[in-house]
């Protein structure tokens, strides 16, 4: 089954390459990544991780090398999730189900065709998950490597900054030992500290970026009531004179030329501090409005269809083009190469139309992701005393990572379906692990056998142990050996062999 899914994913990616040659670019983000890759400087808005990735391929005469590599990474992510699931003893069908969303989701294929950081981020996150979950007790080098991968993911997309905390809690629950925890901490601290020092050498402040306060202000500006907070003269332009129901969303406040942000000039540490301080005061003064807004956007992720509201980012930005793009989608600008020069693009209307038609149905539905969350939590909580402790902890780690990747963008920026895609690395595997765990719970809580009649003794049961679909190969072998041993030492009456005296 997995081979079929992998072939289908490869066909979708090959079609995307020919339909949108040589690449797709999102104005603003893609241009910024390419510019900083050329200048070899950290950006104030976006970390340098993806620009460093682009720099590796700047030798190529065509920008097409980027989507080609990213499509290979997408297929590799699916293969890695399948391999991890099989290695952990899940059935091949469950393992294939865990990898299917990454392989076949049309929005995932679209983002791989773009010069955008999401594919690299997902690949780094997948590698970190493999390092943490592959062994019963990850070695010190694997712990350090997992955290170094999470640090690299953070320097690719800052939303991952919380993930090392979850991984550290997971390792504490796994009782891996002090030395492994120290190696894990060093793996994330050293890269991030080194990057912050480089950032300070360029911009003067020890940080990873100078835009977190700016994005947070855009998030709260649509409901901020300045009459409920103390506003300094410097913050006064951030107050809107319009009632909340008539205000636009973060798209306007973050990027529109008429936004109050324009009065503050370019990005910088001092300006970012002003925006952050104002936003935090609004959140403290209006916690109900902020919580309601974040909860609404998070639940939006779990809806069965893809739709956006007037305050969300445009869905069409991440869809294959079926006609002339609207300028608001920010995908109509000239295509740039590694040197910043304009490069010609070719769009195949037939192939693009086929991909657009597939994309209308070929995406991971929100209720499926919600089901993975609920199954993961259920398997972790309801399986206490029956299931495998390791799988309970694995489910909680994967569900926690997935929820962080959903909640943090909704709480700090804007609702955008682009931010949903890295979740495919965490939640579907969590759902697959949960199904396997609940199967084990059912097997262990099932009655030992039918009630024996007067002449029908109960058949001896094998000793309790994990079924073959929940442990690795070595574990399956040991479990079968214990089963054979128990059958050979059963207390049932032995049948006398022919020619031997019967017992008295």
């Amino acid at each position: 089954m997995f081979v079929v899914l992998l072939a289908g994913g490869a066909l979708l990616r090959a079609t995307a390459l020919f339909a949108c040659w040589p690449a797709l670019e999102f104005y603003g983000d893609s241009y910024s990544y390419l510019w900083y890759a050329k200048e070899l400087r950290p950006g104030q808005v976006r970390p340098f991780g993806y620009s460093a990735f682009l720099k590796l391929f700047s030798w190529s005469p065509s920008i097409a090398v980027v989507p080609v590599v990213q499509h290979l990474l997408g297929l590799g992510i699916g293969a890695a999730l399948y391999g991890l699931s099989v290695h952990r003893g899940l059935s091949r069908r469950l393992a294939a189900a865990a990898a299917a969303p990454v392989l076949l989701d049309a929005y995932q294929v679209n983002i791989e065709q773009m010069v955008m950081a999401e594919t690299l981020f997902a690949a780094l996150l997948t590698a970190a998950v493999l390092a943490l979950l592959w062994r019963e007790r990850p070695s010190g080098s694997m712990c350090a490597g997992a955290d170094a991968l999470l640090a690299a993911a953070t320097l690719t997309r800052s939303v991952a900054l919380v993930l090392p905390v979850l991984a550290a809690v997971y390792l504490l629950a796994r009782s891996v030992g002090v030395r492994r925890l120290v190696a894990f901490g060093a793996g994330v601290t050293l890269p991030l500290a080194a990057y912050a020092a480089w950032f300070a050498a360029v911009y003067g402040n020890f940080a990873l970026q100078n835009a977190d306060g700016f994005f947070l202000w855009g998030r709260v500006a649509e409901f901020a009531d300045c009459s409920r907070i103390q506003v300094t003269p410097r913050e006064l332009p951030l107050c809107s004179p319009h009632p909340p129901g008539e205000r636009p969303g973060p798209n306007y406040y973050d990027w529109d030329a008429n936004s109050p942000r324009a009065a503050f000039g370019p990005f910088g540490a001092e300006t970012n501090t002003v925006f952050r301080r104002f936003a935090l005061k609004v959140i403290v003064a209006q916690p109900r409005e902020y919580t309601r807004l974040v909860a609404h956007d998070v639940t939006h992720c779990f809806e069965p269809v893809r739709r956006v509201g007037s305050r969300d980012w445009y869905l069409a930005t991440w869809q294959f083009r079926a006609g002339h793009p609207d300028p608001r989608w920010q995908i109509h600008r000239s295509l740039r190469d590694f040197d910043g020069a304009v490069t010609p693009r070719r769009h195949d209307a037939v192939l693009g139309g086929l991909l657009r038609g597939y994309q209308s149905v070929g995406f991971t539905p929100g209720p499926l992701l919600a089901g993975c969350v609920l199954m993961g939590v259920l398997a972790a909580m309801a399986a206490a005393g029956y299931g495998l402790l390791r799988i309970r902890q694995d489910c909680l780690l994967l569900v926690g990572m997935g929820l962080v990747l959903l909640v943090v963008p909704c709480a700090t920026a804007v609702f955008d379906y682009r931010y949903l895609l890295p979740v495919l690395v965490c939640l579907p595997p969590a759902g697959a692990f949960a199904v396997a765990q609940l199967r084990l719970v059912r097997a262990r809580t099932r009655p030992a056998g039918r009630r024996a009649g007067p002449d029908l003794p109960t058949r001896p049961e094998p000793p309790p142990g994990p079924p073959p679909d929940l442990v690795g190969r070595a574990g399956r072998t040991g479990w079968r050996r214990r089963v054979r041993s128990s059958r050979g030492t059963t207390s049932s009456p032995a049948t006398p062999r022919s020619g031997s005296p019967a017992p008295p």
Side-chain angles (χ1 to χ4, degrees), residues 411-457:
T412 60
V414 64
F415 178 83
D416 189 345
Y417 275 111
R418 167 170 60 117
Y419 301 141
L420 181 66
L421 296 175
V423 174
L424 303 182
V425 172
C426 302
L427 294 187
F433 275 66
V435 170
Q437 178 80 322
L438 293 175
R439 284 179 178 176
L440 174 59
V441 174
R442 180 185 178 189
R444 289 185 169 181
T445 55
R446 185 182 298 172
R450 297 178 180 178
R451 184 180 300 274
D455 299 321
L456 296 175

Side-chain angles (χ1 to χ4, degrees), residues 16-352:
L17 275 173
F18 286 106
C20 310
W21 184 266
L24 295 172
E25 290 182 355
F26 176 52
Y27 174 72
D29 291 42
S30 299
Y31 285 17
S32 175
Y33 289 132
L34 289 167
W35 191 86
Y36 284 108
K38 179 182 176 182
E39 297 294 321
L40 286 178
R41 292 174 51 197
Q44 296 202 73
V45 179
R46 302 168 188 89
F48 187 74
Y50 187 64
S51 296
F53 173 79
L54 294 177
K55 188 65 178 179
L56 296 176
F57 305 101
S58 59
W59 51 266
S60 174
S62 174
I63 195 69
V65 68
V66 175
V68 168
V69 172
Q70 291 183 163
H71 285 316
L72 293 175
L73 285 176
L75 295 173
I77 291 170
L81 295 178
Y82 177 80
L84 172 65
S85 302
V86 171
H87 175 76
R88 292 293 303 274
L90 272 66
S91 66
R92 296 188 181 275
R93 288 187 178 181
L94 270 180
V102 168
L103 293 174
L104 301 182
D105 193 304
Y107 288 89
Q108 174 68 29
V109 177
N110 179 274
I111 206 68
E112 292 172 14
Q113 185 65 21
M114 280 196 168
V115 183
M116 292 290 286
E118 273 66 29
T119 305
L120 176 62
F121 177 77
L124 292 169
L125 182 59
T126 302
V129 168
L130 258 67
L132 290 171
L133 271 59
W134 190 264
R135 291 185 177 181
E136 176 71 24
R137 292 187 70 199
S139 64
S141 59
M142 293 184 74
C143 289
D147 222 11
L149 289 165
L150 290 176
T154 302
L155 297 179
T156 302
R157 276 196 56 207
S158 55
V159 67
L161 189 59
V162 185
L163 299 184
V165 178
L166 296 181
V169 173
Y170 171 79
L171 291 177
L172 280 172
R174 300 291 305 140
S175 301
V176 297
V178 176
R179 287 197 298 179
R180 289 178 173 86
L181 287 173
V182 171
F184 180 81
V188 67
T189 304
L190 295 179
L192 294 183
Y195 181 85
W198 181 35
F199 190 91
V202 176
Y203 297 109
N205 60 309
F206 192 81
L208 301 181
Q209 60 172 338
N210 279 333
D212 58 298
F214 155 73
F215 286 116
L216 187 61
W217 165 75
R219 173 81 286 192
V220 305
E222 59 186 87
F223 67 84
D225 184 355
C226 289
S227 64
R228 300 169 64 175
I229 61 175
Q230 290 185 347
V231 182
T232 66
R234 182 85 167 106
E235 299 168 348
L236 194 58
L238 301 180
C239 295
S240 175
H242 305 287
E246 299 178 4
R247 297 179 193 176
N251 298 334
Y252 169 83
Y253 290 107
D254 290 346
W255 306 115
D256 196 278
N258 298 317
S259 168
R261 178 189 66 85
F264 288 81
F267 294 101
E270 189 273 335
T271 303
N272 188 53
T273 301
V274 172
F275 280 99
R276 187 195 303 116
R277 184 172 57 241
F278 178 87
L280 291 177
K281 287 192 290 187
V282 171
I283 293 172
V284 172
Q286 300 176 261
R288 293 180 59 184
E289 290 86 344
Y290 179 69
T291 303
R292 188 184 304 116
L293 178 65
V294 175
H296 172 270
D297 283 358
V298 172
T299 55
H300 190 171
C301 298
F302 299 124
E303 293 184 357
V305 298
R306 294 288 169 95
R307 66 168 189 85
V308 292
S310 59
R311 294 176 173 177
D312 304 328
W313 187 258
Y314 308 102
L315 179 62
T317 302
W318 319 117
Q319 293 176 333
F320 289 101
R321 198 173 79 190
H324 188 71
D326 190 308
R328 294 175 300 171
W329 303 342
Q330 301 297 323
I331 56 174
H332 68 292
R333 305 289 184 100
S334 301
L335 200 65
R336 304 283 177 170
D337 62 13
F338 293 106
D339 295 327
V342 176
T343 186
R345 73 172 80 201
R346 186 184 72 239
H347 174 70
D348 190 304
V350 176
L351 294 178

Side-chain angles (χ1 to χ4, degrees), residues 346-433:
R346 186 184 72 239
H347 174 70
D348 190 304
V350 176
L351 294 178
L354 290 174
L355 288 170
R356 182 67 187 87
Y358 172 76
Q359 196 170 20
S360 63
V361 295
F363 60 89
T364 308
L368 177 62
L369 296 176
C372 290
V373 172
L374 294 177
M375 291 285 287
V377 174
L378 179 64
M381 301 304 178
Y386 295 100
L388 293 177
L389 177 61
R390 181 184 177 189
I391 293 187
R392 295 208 303 270
Q393 294 165 343
D394 294 343
C395 287
L396 288 177
L397 173 67
L398 293 172
V399 169
M401 284 184 165
L403 290 179
V404 164
L405 295 176
L406 284 180
V407 173
V408 172
C410 294
T412 60
V414 64
F415 178 83
D416 189 345
Y417 275 111
R418 167 170 60 117
Y419 301 141
L420 181 66
L421 296 175
V423 174
L424 303 182
V425 172
C426 302
L427 294 187
F433 275 66

